[in-house]
Amino acid sequence: MKDYYYFLGISRDASDEDIKKSYRKLSLKYHPDKNPNDDFFAERFKEIQEAYETLSDKGRRITYDQNLESLQKSFRYTVPPSIKTFSANKIHAKKGEEIIITWQSQNADVVKVLPFGLEKAYGERVFKISEFKNGKFQLLLHATNSLLQKTVVQGITITEVFESDGEKFRDRAEELFKPQPRTVINRRGYPKIMLLIWGIVILAIAIYFLISNFM
């Protein structure tokens, strides 16, 4: 059973206004129009919509709260959560190649598979990796027993495989010219190649002044 309060980032005693505010904020953040061709954001947006439709309706919310409370009480709250299995059909893959992961947790009422989001206590997911980070794609399984407030985590790392040296070179070259996330140091999100060029220029100027001082 999905935890809709978790989806919206609110407490169980949240007011109708709290639910609306959280929904508006998250729906804008995860709207597919702002994140085109991104399955993670599309799936997260659906979860937010589903949560809001249930919790904003008083009758549906009462029924949902009763079912959620009953489900949580059925867990053995004295037993911590555990991960029985978490595996992928391959740990080396090419970009765009299909991956199948399976998992099974125990004594957990909140289960997340990152980067995808909340899932059932056990299941299977088929997906394709559109982007690797430094040649790797990280998957994390979080199994939480909310009554005990304990969480266990297990990860899988999938390593990128290139068909040829030329493809590997092209992929790294594209990474150099791709805009980067904005940070305190790189506020405008300049590509790595520009930061590298600036670094070389600054180093050359520093060397020039250093040599000038000794002459």
Side-chain angles (χ1 to χ4, degrees):
M1 185 176 182
K2 296 180 179 180
D3 189 337
Y4 292 145
Y5 294 99
Y6 176 85
F7 285 171
L8 295 179
I10 55 177
S11 62
R12 298 282 176 85
D13 59 353
S15 65
D16 292 342
E17 188 61 28
D18 291 334
I19 294 171
K20 288 180 182 179
K21 285 181 179 179
S22 180
Y23 168 71
R24 289 169 184 166
K25 180 180 177 180
L26 292 174
S27 61
L28 286 173
K29 179 179 178 181
Y30 291 98
H31 199 286
D33 290 346
K34 290 189 175 182
N35 308 278
N37 303 317
D38 193 314
D39 293 338
F40 168 73
F41 282 95
E43 189 66 27
R44 190 78 176 90
F45 183 73
K46 289 180 182 178
E47 291 172 345
I48 293 166
Q49 290 277 85
E50 183 180 330
Y52 177 71
E53 289 174 1
T54 298
L55 299 183
S56 61
D57 184 294
K58 290 186 178 180
R60 292 176 65 181
R61 182 178 181 181
I62 292 173
T63 301
Y64 171 78
D65 286 345
Q66 292 173 342
N67 292 335
L68 183 63
E69 184 178 359
S70 176
L71 177 65
Q72 289 184 331
K73 286 183 178 179
S74 70
F75 280 95
R76 291 177 293 171
Y77 61 88
T78 58
V79 181
S82 63
I83 296 174
K84 190 172 182 180
T85 61
F86 184 41
S87 61
N89 66 326
K90 58 187 73 176
I91 57 173
H92 302 288
K94 302 172 186 175
K95 189 180 293 185
E97 190 172 357
E98 188 173 270
I99 305 291
I100 303 173
I101 58 171
T102 57
W103 67 91
Q104 183 176 354
S105 63
Q106 294 179 320
N107 305 313
D109 57 331
V110 179
V111 176
K112 292 189 293 182
V113 178
L114 300 178
F116 306 116
L118 288 169
E119 298 283 0
K120 295 179 180 178
Y122 60 90
E124 175 181 293
R125 176 180 277 267
V126 181
F127 66 98
K128 294 181 180 180
I129 301 176
S130 60
E131 194 68 40
F132 286 87
K133 185 175 182 179
N134 297 323
K136 295 180 180 180
F137 185 85
Q138 186 74 40
L139 293 156
L140 292 174
L141 173 62
H142 291 241
T144 301
N145 184 323
S146 61
L147 297 177
L148 276 180
Q149 296 186 349
K150 289 188 176 181
T151 300
V152 289
V153 181
Q154 188 172 324
I156 297 175
T157 300
I158 299 174
T159 306
E160 186 174 13
V161 175
F162 297 90
E163 292 183 354
S164 64
D165 291 338
E167 182 181 349
K168 186 174 183 179
F169 175 80
R170 184 176 67 250
D171 191 82
R172 289 183 175 177
E174 289 176 354
E175 180 66 24
L176 284 174
F177 288 92
K178 184 172 66 176
Q180 300 298 302
R182 296 185 178 184
T183 62
V184 175
I185 297 175
N186 186 9
R187 294 184 177 180
R188 296 190 178 182
Y190 290 120
K192 290 181 179 179
I193 188 67
M194 289 188 67
L195 299 178
L196 180 61
I197 292 173
W198 286 348
I200 293 173
V201 170
I202 293 171
L203 179 61
I205 293 173
I207 292 174
Y208 170 78
F209 281 109
L210 183 63
I211 294 175
S212 297
N213 289 334
F214 280 99
M215 291 181 65

